[in-house]
Amino acid sequence: MDAKHEITICLGSSCFSRGNKEVLEVIKKFIDKHQLSVDVFFHGDLCNGHCAEGPVLKIDEQLFSNVQVDNVFDILSGYFEINEN
Ligand code: FES
């Protein structure tokens, strides 16, 4: 695998029904907007047992909980140190 980073979105039924379906679209837009598709391997995964903190998202080894459409852009910008302004 050549990608430098890995983003894993939980597609388990709990996270998916609590918003990861929409979060997934935002992440795709973020990757496109910042042309990160070469550096980032973005994929879905099954439930990892953190449902109570969901929806969850993992970037490399870091787990983010309660990820929503309105905070995922900030999470990604912070992690990848991208200033949106
Ligand atoms: S469904 Fe996402 S952690 Fe369980």
Side-chain angles (χ1 to χ4, degrees), residues 10-16 20 46-51 56:
C10 177
L11 297 179
S13 54
S14 174
C15 289
F16 197 67
N20 262 0
L46 301 176
C47 174
N48 57 21
H50 292 91
C51 311
V56 295

Side-chain angles (χ1 to χ4, degrees), residues 2-72:
D2 293 333
K4 294 180 192 146
H5 297 283
E6 181 177 14
I7 300 179
T8 311
I9 188 166
C10 177
L11 297 179
S13 54
S14 174
C15 289
F16 197 67
S17 66
R18 287 163 74 183
N20 262 0
K21 186 174 174 210
E22 289 79 24
V23 167
L24 186 152
E25 296 302 324
V26 177
I27 296 171
K28 279 202 245 170
K29 282 186 193 142
F30 182 91
I31 289 172
D32 280 350
K33 182 178 175 189
H34 299 292
Q35 299 169 349
L36 293 171
S37 58
V38 174
D39 289 335
V40 173
F41 174 47
F42 177 42
H43 64 110
D45 205 356
L46 301 176
C47 174
N48 57 21
H50 292 91
C51 311
E53 303 156 43
V56 295
L57 179 72
K58 199 168 150 210
I59 307 179
D60 297 326
E61 294 308 313
Q62 202 170 333
L63 190 74
F64 295 88
S65 43
N66 296 310
V67 178
Q68 305 288 341
V69 166
D70 51 11
N71 68 7
V72 67

